[in-house]
């Protein structure tokens, strides 16, 4: 962990893989006086604050800027404070004893169902890009051409994004399936 006087960076294990574990860790860090401030590249940015007993939860929801205040107000009415957002991932904090954001399996299943569809679409698009890019590379007549290089780089970008996206998609599918079982 990199430390500085007022801020600290901690790496993420990936919300698709360790969401609950990371949210529990954020609660423990808040008790030590380090509160979540924002998402950072492959991790979280914390700020020094008074120690507090907090719980954290995530919500996956596409919220347009015009609707963000209503979205946050809905959670605030239930005792949850908006901490930060990155794309469709939103983190909220509350005092222990606050009713969980997802209090039953059905709503939790819907939470993972929303994000699984989005990640699945990204995975599919970049997998297709990889196949098309590498496929066109294989069928290019002149192997030293600029066009062949473009096709190769398209395929490489596709595979570089598709593989981690597929891992994330798989983890979310397992989590979604676990929530569906009764």
């Amino acid at each position: 962990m990199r430390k500085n006087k007022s801020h600290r960076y901690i790496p993420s294990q990936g919300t698709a893989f360790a969401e609950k574990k990371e949210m529990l860790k954020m609660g423990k860090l808040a008790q030590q006086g380090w509160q979540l401030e924002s998402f950072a590249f492959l991790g979280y940015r914390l700020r020094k604050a008074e120690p507090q007993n907090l719980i954290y939860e995530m919500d996956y929801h596409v919220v347009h800027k015009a609707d963000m205040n209503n979205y946050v107000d809905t959670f605030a009415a239930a005792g949850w404070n908006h901490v930060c957002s990155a794309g469709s991932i939103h983190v909220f904090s509350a005092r222990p004893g606050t009713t969980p954001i997802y209090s039953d399996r059905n709503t939790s299943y819907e939470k993972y169902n929303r994000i699984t569809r989005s990640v699945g679409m990204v995975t599919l698009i970049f997998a297709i890009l990889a196949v098309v890019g590498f496929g066109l590379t294989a069928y290019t007549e002149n192997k030293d051409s600029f066009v062949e290089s473009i096709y190769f780089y398209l395929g490489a970008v596709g595979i570089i994004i598709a593989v981690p996206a597929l891992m994330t998609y798989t983890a979310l599918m397992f989590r979604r399936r676990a929530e569906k079982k009764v």
Side-chain angles (χ1 to χ4, degrees):
M1 287 186 228
R2 192 184 79 191
K3 295 181 184 180
N4 121 5
K5 292 181 185 179
S6 63
H7 288 87
R8 182 178 187 180
Y9 169 83
I10 62 167
S12 173
Q13 296 175 353
T15 58
F17 305 101
E19 175 188 334
K20 289 178 181 159
K21 184 178 177 182
E22 288 190 352
M23 295 299 99
L24 287 172
K25 183 177 183 176
M26 293 300 159
K28 289 178 184 173
L29 289 167
Q31 290 175 345
Q32 298 169 15
W34 290 103
Q35 291 184 2
L36 177 62
E37 181 177 76
S38 64
F39 287 98
F41 180 70
L42 299 177
Y44 305 95
R45 180 180 166 98
L46 308 175
R47 66 177 159 72
K48 189 70 176 158
E50 289 295 317
Q52 290 186 20
N53 193 9
L54 295 173
I55 56 174
Y56 288 88
E57 285 202 29
M58 279 190 179
D59 184 39
Y60 303 102
H61 206 87
V62 175
V63 181
H64 301 287
K65 282 187 179 184
D67 300 327
M68 190 63 172
N69 286 339
N70 288 338
Y71 175 74
V72 169
D73 288 346
T74 301
F75 286 95
W80 290 91
N81 299 310
H82 180 255
V83 177
C84 61
S85 296
S88 62
I89 303 173
H90 312 279
V91 179
F92 295 88
S93 68
R95 299 275 179 219
T98 304
T99 303
I101 293 173
Y102 294 97
S103 56
D104 62 61
R105 289 182 99 97
N106 288 337
T107 57
S108 189
Y109 174 81
E110 286 305 317
K111 166 185 161 180
Y112 292 117
N113 198 38
R114 279 193 304 268
I115 193 70
T116 300
R117 278 184 267 146
S118 299
V119 172
M121 188 59 66
V122 169
T123 303
L124 180 62
I125 289 168
F126 282 99
I128 290 170
L129 181 67
V131 169
V132 168
F134 288 136
L136 290 172
T137 300
Y139 288 106
T140 303
E141 295 280 329
N142 184 355
K143 294 296 181 189
D144 294 327
S145 74
F146 176 73
V147 172
E148 189 264 344
S149 296
I150 296 294
Y151 292 155
F152 176 79
Y153 287 122
L154 271 172
V157 166
I159 203 80
I160 286 168
I161 296 173
V163 169
L166 180 61
M167 292 168 54
T168 302
Y169 178 75
T170 303
L172 288 168
M173 288 293 290
F174 279 114
R175 179 144 326 132
R176 186 178 77 168
R177 182 176 294 161
E179 293 299 327
K180 190 174 184 177
K181 290 181 181 175
V182 178

